[in-house]
Amino acid sequence: METTKVIDIIERYAASSLTKNALNHLIFRLIQRADRSTLSDLTNTISGSLKRDFLTSLPTEISMEILEQLDHDSVNNVLAVSRSWNRLITSEFWKNLLIRDNYTTKEELDQLVQKVDSEPSIFHKLYTKRFRLHRNWLDPDFQPYKITVPGHGANVVTCLQFDDERIITGADDKMINIYDPETGKLLNILSGHEGGVWALKYIGNQIVSGSTDRTVRVWNIQLGKCTHVFKGHTSTIRCMEIVTNDEGEKFIITGSRDNTLHVWRLPDEDDLGEDYDETDAQNPYFVTVLRGHTASVRAVTGYGNTIISGSYDHTVRVWDLKTCTNKFVLRGHTDRIYSTILDVERNRCISASMDSTIRVWDLNNGACIAELTKHTSLVGLLGLSSNYLVSAAADGTLRGWNPDNYESEFVLHQDGHSAITTFYASPNLLVSGSEGQFNIYDLQNKGQLIRSNVLADSGPIWSAKFNYSKCVVAVEKNSQSFIEILDFSKRA
C-alpha cells in the first residue's frame, strides 16, 4: 500500500475514532520515532503557530477596546512585548484612559489637545503622573507631606478656594488671605471690607467677595488691590456665583439676607474701575435686582442663562438670566433651604432643606420628580459628581445617590454622629469633615473608607477642597484658625 494512503487512513481514523488522550498518545509515539531533522522542522512549525499575534490581527478598534480594559501596570507590560503592540498604544489611547479613570477635565483636555503635535507623549506622561498620585491617595500607608500655616487668628474661616497657583480664604476678620499651595507662604492679605467675608469666588486673575458690610468687592489678584466696590444690598451677602451666559458674558450673582438677588456684570481684568452704587445712572456693571423671595437667600448656583436660588422662605426659584425673569417657583419643602445645585447634563436642579429632605426638580416644567427622605436632620450640603449625588446632614451621615434614578447607593457615618460641616467630592474621591474628624473615602468603591481621623489634632473642620495632588483644609486648633495642606505627591 502506498505511504500516502496509509497516512490518509491513519488521519481519518484518528479524527473519527480516537479520544483526545489516545490522539495525544499517538502523536507523542510518532514524535519519539522521528529523527533529528524532522524534529527540527516540527519545532519551527509549532513555534510559528504559537507566536501568532492575535492582538494585531484583530481590527484596530477591537484591539483598542481590549487594551482599554487594562490597568496602568498591565499597559506598561504590553509596551514591553513588541514594536507592533507599541504602535497600538497611541496618544489617543492615553487620552481615553485619562477620561476613563477621571484623571482629567474637559477644560484641561482641550488645552492638551493643542500641544499634542509638539509633545506626542503628553497624555502618557499625564496619565502616569495622575495614576501614581491616585495610588498614593488610596494607600493608607502613604503619609502625605503636611504643611500647617496660620489662618485668620481666632476668626472662623468662612470661604476656601484653591488651585495649583494659590489658596484663597475669607473669614470673619474682614480679610482675604492668599497663600502659595506649594510652600504655604502667605502671599498677600486683601483688606477693605468692613464686615466678615461670607461669600467668595474667583476666576482668572479676579476675586469677587461679598460681606456682612453689604458690599460686593472685585479684586485684582496680581496687583493685590480692590478694583471695584458694588453697593445696593441692604443686608449681609450670604451666597454668590460667577456665571458665564450663553453669549459668553460673565456675571456676578449675589444672594442676601435682604431677600433679593443682585446681578452685576463682571468687570474686565484690566479694568481698574471705581466704586458704584447700583442706583447710579452711570453704573456700567449693575444689571438688575431679582425679587420674589420673602426671606433670606441662602444658596445660589447657575450655568449659562439659568440661575437657581434657595431661600429660608422654603422655596426654590428658577431665573432666566437673559430676560432677568422668574421662570418657576418650586414649592414642596416645609422648612428653610440650605443648598441648591444644578445638574446641567439632566436639566435638573436639586435642593436640600432643614426639613431633612432633598428634592429633585425638572427644569423643563418645574415639577418635583423625586423626594429623598433618608436623612433625619437638616441637610445642609449637596455635591454632584459623574457617578453620585452626595448629600451631608446634621445627622452625621453622608449619603450617595444614583444621579439617574436617585436610588440610595451608600451611607457613611461620622464617629459620634456629629454634624457634617464640609465635604468635597470628585468622581474618584470624597473628603468630609465634622467636629474633630476628617475622613477620606474611595468613591469608585461606593464610599469605602480609606483614611479616618486624618487631622487628629484638629477641632472643628470648617472647609475642605482638593485637586489631584493636594487637599487643603481650614480647621480650628486651640481656638485659632489654621490652613492644612496635605500634599500627596510627596511622602511625609
Side-chain angles (χ1 to χ4, degrees):
M1 185 179 294
E2 295 180 8
T3 303
T4 54
K5 289 184 179 181
V6 172
I7 293 173
D8 288 341
I9 292 171
I10 294 173
E11 185 178 358
R12 284 197 299 273
Y13 177 75
S16 61
S17 303
L18 294 181
T19 65
K20 183 178 179 181
N21 287 338
L23 182 60
N24 288 341
H25 183 69
L26 173 62
I27 292 171
F28 283 119
R29 291 286 297 273
L30 291 172
I31 289 174
Q32 287 173 345
R33 292 177 175 274
D35 59 25
R36 192 177 189 86
S37 176
T38 303
L39 288 174
S40 179
D41 292 339
L42 188 60
T43 299
N44 291 335
T45 301
I46 294 173
S47 178
S49 298
L50 293 176
K51 284 183 177 177
R52 183 184 175 196
D53 187 347
F54 78 94
L55 200 58
T56 54
S57 66
L58 294 171
T60 303
E61 311 83 60
I62 297 177
S63 298
M64 293 291 284
E65 285 285 338
I66 294 171
L67 291 172
E68 286 177 8
Q69 306 308 310
L70 303 179
D71 60 22
H72 175 267
D73 292 338
S74 298
V75 173
N76 280 336
N77 290 336
V78 167
L79 290 172
V81 170
S82 68
R83 289 180 181 177
S84 58
W85 284 25
N86 242 284
R87 284 192 289 270
L88 290 172
I89 311 295
T90 61
S91 290
E92 188 69 17
F93 172 84
W94 290 110
K95 185 178 84 169
N96 291 340
L97 286 197
L98 282 166
I99 296 169
R100 182 198 71 181
D101 293 341
N102 302 302
Y103 288 167
T104 189
T105 62
K106 181 182 182 301
E107 294 74 20
E108 184 180 45
L109 270 184
D110 291 342
Q111 296 173 1
L112 293 175
V113 166
Q114 300 173 15
K115 301 177 182 178
V116 71
D117 289 338
S118 59
E119 192 178 349
S121 62
I122 191 168
F123 291 128
H124 183 190
K125 290 178 180 177
L126 181 61
Y127 183 86
T128 300
K129 178 182 178 181
R130 297 276 165 83
F131 170 82
R132 289 171 178 167
L133 285 169
H134 187 59
R135 185 170 57 188
N136 290 345
W137 281 84
L138 297 182
D139 180 4
D141 294 327
F142 180 90
Q143 296 303 312
Y145 180 71
K146 186 172 80 167
I147 301 172
T148 303
V149 297
H152 294 255
N155 297 276
V156 174
V157 176
T158 55
C159 310
L160 170 65
Q161 301 282 326
F162 100 102
D163 59 18
D164 291 337
E165 297 180 4
R166 56 183 73 94
I167 298 167
I168 302 174
T169 59
D172 265 347
D173 64 357
K174 312 175 188 178
M175 304 299 177
I176 298 169
N177 288 358
I178 303 177
Y179 303 88
D180 183 334
E182 292 298 323
T183 64
K185 179 182 178 182
L186 180 61
L187 301 176
N188 209 342
I189 299 176
L190 306 180
S191 61
H193 277 299
E194 296 176 1
V197 178
W198 278 83
L200 186 150
K201 296 284 183 178
Y202 79 97
I203 180 170
N205 188 45
Q206 292 173 295
I207 298 172
V208 183
S209 57
S211 168
T212 59
D213 67 10
R214 301 168 293 176
T215 69
V216 177
R217 285 179 176 260
V218 182
W219 311 79
N220 183 297
I221 298 175
Q222 188 173 358
L223 297 177
K225 63 172 289 186
C226 178
T227 58
H228 302 75
V229 180
F230 298 152
K231 303 171 184 175
H233 279 296
T234 59
S235 188
T236 295
I237 295 169
R238 192 63 188 83
C239 52
M240 174 187 299
E241 185 70 287
I242 298 175
V243 176
T244 302
N245 71 2
D246 293 343
E247 288 73 42
E249 301 173 290
K250 293 180 174 59
F251 294 87
I252 306 164
I253 317 294
T254 52
S256 169
R257 286 178 177 164
D258 65 13
N259 308 347
T260 69
L261 296 106
H262 289 204
V263 182
W264 322 78
R265 287 186 177 84
L266 178 69
D268 294 334
E269 286 190 9
D270 56 359
D271 182 351
L272 299 184
E274 55 187 289
D275 299 0
Y276 284 103
D277 190 290
E278 65 185 28
T279 57
D280 293 345
Q282 302 303 315
N283 187 340
Y285 304 108
F286 174 68
V287 178
T288 193
V289 178
L290 303 178
R291 303 182 189 276
H293 283 300
T294 57
S296 176
V297 180
R298 181 63 173 77
V300 63
T301 187
Y303 182 88
N305 286 334
T306 300
I307 305 298
I308 309 295
S309 59
S311 169
Y312 283 178
D313 66 8
H314 310 178
T315 70
V316 177
R317 286 182 178 257
V318 183
W319 311 85
D320 186 326
L321 183 56
K322 187 172 185 177
T323 61
C324 294
T325 56
N326 186 199
K327 291 180 65 177
F328 302 114
V329 182
L330 310 180
R331 294 186 170 90
H333 283 294
T334 58
D335 211 328
R336 297 176 176 184
I337 291 168
Y338 274 77
S339 183
T340 59
I341 56 173
L342 254 173
D343 184 344
V344 176
E345 179 183 343
R346 299 170 182 83
N347 199 33
R348 300 168 183 171
C349 73
I350 303 154
S351 56
S353 169
M354 197 170 182
D355 65 11
S356 308
T357 71
I358 301 161
R359 286 179 176 260
V360 184
W361 312 87
D362 185 340
L363 292 181
N364 293 305
N365 52 27
C368 180
I369 59 174
E371 183 182 12
L372 313 183
T373 60
K374 291 189 179 295
H375 284 294
T376 59
S377 187
L378 159 68
V379 186
L381 302 167
L382 292 173
L384 185 67
S385 70
S386 59
N387 43 1
Y388 294 110
L389 166 67
V390 181
S391 58
D395 61 11
T397 65
L398 289 135
R399 290 184 176 270
W401 314 83
N402 184 304
D404 292 313
N405 58 27
Y406 304 103
E407 293 292 325
S408 178
E409 296 284 347
F410 63 79
V411 57
L412 310 173
H413 297 271
Q414 298 288 97
D415 292 347
H417 295 280
S418 56
I420 310 293
T421 53
T422 185
F423 82 82
Y424 190 74
S426 73
N428 291 332
L429 297 166
L430 168 68
V431 302
S432 72
S434 59
E435 182 74 30
Q437 188 178 8
F438 186 72
N439 294 344
I440 301 175
Y441 304 90
D442 180 4
L443 278 190
Q444 290 300 315
N445 286 291
K446 294 202 170 185
Q448 178 182 345
L449 180 64
I450 307 169
R451 301 164 186 265
S452 63
N453 296 315
V454 177
L455 303 171
D457 59 341
S458 297
I461 309 292
W462 289 321
S463 188
K465 295 281 194 303
F466 65 83
N467 60 15
Y468 299 105
S469 62
K470 293 181 179 66
C471 183
V472 178
V473 191
V475 306
E476 178 183 316
K477 299 181 190 180
N478 302 318
S479 301
Q480 296 290 304
S481 63
F482 292 89
I483 307 300
E484 302 275 18
I485 306 169
L486 302 174
D487 188 342
F488 285 85
S489 69
K490 305 174 186 175
R491 193 178 292 272

